[in-house]
Amino acid sequence: MRDLRISVTDRCNFRCVYCMPKDVFGKGYAFLPKTSLLSFEEMARIARLAVTHGVEKIRLTGGEPLLRKNIEKLVEMLSALKTPDGRELDLTLTTNGALLAKKAQALKDAGLKRVTVSLDSLDDGTFRRMNDVGFSVAEVLEGIAVAHRVGIGPIKINMVVKKGSNDQDIVPMARHFKGSPFILRFIEYMDVGATNGWKMGEVIPSAEVVRRIRAEMALEEIAPNYTGETSARWRYQDGSGEIGVISSVTQAFCHSCTRARLSTEGKLYTCLFATGGHDLRALIRRGCSDDEISATIAHIWRARGDRYSELRTAMTGGALPAVAKVEMSYIGG
Ligand code: SAM
C-alpha cells in the first residue's frame, strides 16, 4: 500500500457526461447526508494509520474536493504527517479547477504541494458539452494559472478522451501545453460505475493518442518515475516537456497497483472497480483503538485480489464481468 485516495465529498459542481450524467445525478439524486461523511479528524486518523502501512502519497478527490467546506484544514492536517522514516508525504489533489483560482493560495499555505486539474478540451463548446453545466475553458485555465503563480506544482492536466466527443482535441491540447510547465496526461475512457453507458467503441487507445501526436511532434518514451506509476511517459524530443498516457483499458496495470481508496463515508476500497468496501467509519465511531483499526487495514490489504481491468482485457470481445461497481464520484477518481 503506497497510495491512498480520499474522497472528501460525493458532490460535484460539474455533470461530466462520462462520470455524473445529469439523467442520473439530477435534482432528485440523493447525495450522502452530512452525518454520513467522515470528519477531517476521522480522515486524518485513517490516513495516519495508512502511513504506518506504507502509504507515501495521498490524493484528495471526490466528487469535487474543493466543494468540501474548509478543505484547506484537512490539507493542513495531512501535510503534518510523516513517513515512518521521517519524510514528508506526497500530498496532492484532483480538481475540475472551477474553484481553484479562489482556493489556490489557502491550499498552498496549508501545505498542498501539487495538484492535478481535469480539462477535457480547449474548445469552449466541446468543454461545455462535456461538463454539461456550461463551465468555460477560460475559467479552468485561470485556476491553473493562479495555482502555478502561488507555487503549487508540478501541475498535471488530465484529459479523458472519449471517441466522438473530444478526440479531435488530442493534438490541439498537446500543442497548447507543449513547452509549458504543465504535464498533460491522456486518460482512456473507463467503465467505472454503472451509469455512464460505457462502450469499448468509445475508447481511444493510448497507442492511438501517441500516434496522432507523434505525427506532428517528435516523441520518445521515457522510464516511469517509480514502479506502479499509472501513467506511461513520453518526452518531446526537442526538450519541450513531456506527456503521459493512462491506459487502464488497453493495458491494465492491476499487477502493479498500490492504491487504496477511502470513500466519502469511510469505506476502504481496494479497487476503483470494486463492488463493495470495508466500513472503517463503523470501527471509528464504535470507539475502536488505533491498533484495532490498523490491524483491520492490514487484513483488508493482505486479502485483496482485485484485478478487474485485467479481467476486462481478458474478456474484450466477450461479456464484461457482470458486477455492480460503485460510482467514481462516490469512491473518488
Ligand atoms: N472533480 C475532480 C475532477 O474533476 O478532477 C475529481 C474527481 S474526478 C472523478 C477524477 C478524474 O476522474 C477526473 O480527471 C475525471 O475526468 C476522471 N474520470 C471520471 N470518470 C471517468 C471515466 N469514466 N473514465 C476515465 N476517467 C474518468
Side-chain angles (χ1 to χ4, degrees), residues 12 18-19 61-65 94-96 116 118 120 158 160 187-192 196 328-329 332-333:
C12 190
Y18 54 78
C19 187
T61 177
E64 171 48 42
T94 303
T95 174
N96 59 29
T116 298
S118 306
D120 293 332
N158 275 358
V160 175
I187 306 179
E188 287 179 351
Y189 171 43
M190 294 184 283
D191 54 333
V192 281
N196 65 3
M328 199 171 194
S329 51

Side-chain angles (χ1 to χ4, degrees), residues 121-155:
S121 177
L122 288 168
D123 176 79
D124 219 41
T126 306
F127 185 58
R128 284 173 194 263
R129 262 193 306 282
M130 286 187 84
N131 65 54
D132 213 11
V133 292
F135 205 81
S136 73
V137 172
E139 288 170 276
V140 179
L141 292 178
E142 171 65 7
I144 294 169
V146 174
H148 180 59
R149 213 161 44 233
V150 303
I152 296 177
I155 297 177

Side-chain angles (χ1 to χ4, degrees), residues 7 10 32 62-63 263-265 267 269 326-332:
S7 173
D10 61 335
L32 294 170
S263 79
T264 317
E265 52 181 351
K267 290 196 178 142
Y269 286 81
V326 291
E327 294 301 319
M328 199 171 194
S329 51
Y330 167 80
I331 195 176

Side-chain angles (χ1 to χ4, degrees), residues 280-326:
L280 298 184
R281 188 190 64 189
L283 302 188
I284 291 183
R285 297 194 182 169
R286 202 189 299 146
C288 288
S289 67
D290 279 358
D291 283 351
E292 286 168 316
I293 299 169
S294 187
T296 304
I297 293 173
H299 177 76
I300 294 165
W301 192 253
R302 281 201 204 104
R304 94 180 169 138
D306 314 81
R307 48 190 289 268
Y308 175 87
S309 294
E310 287 179 352
L311 293 177
R312 182 214 301 109
T313 304
M315 291 172 133
T316 298
L320 289 168
V323 289
K325 295 172 269 131
V326 291

Side-chain angles (χ1 to χ4, degrees), residues 263-280:
S263 79
T264 317
E265 52 181 351
K267 290 196 178 142
L268 192 68
Y269 286 81
T270 53
C271 178
L272 175 58
F273 299 93
T275 52
H278 307 264
D279 194 356
L280 298 184

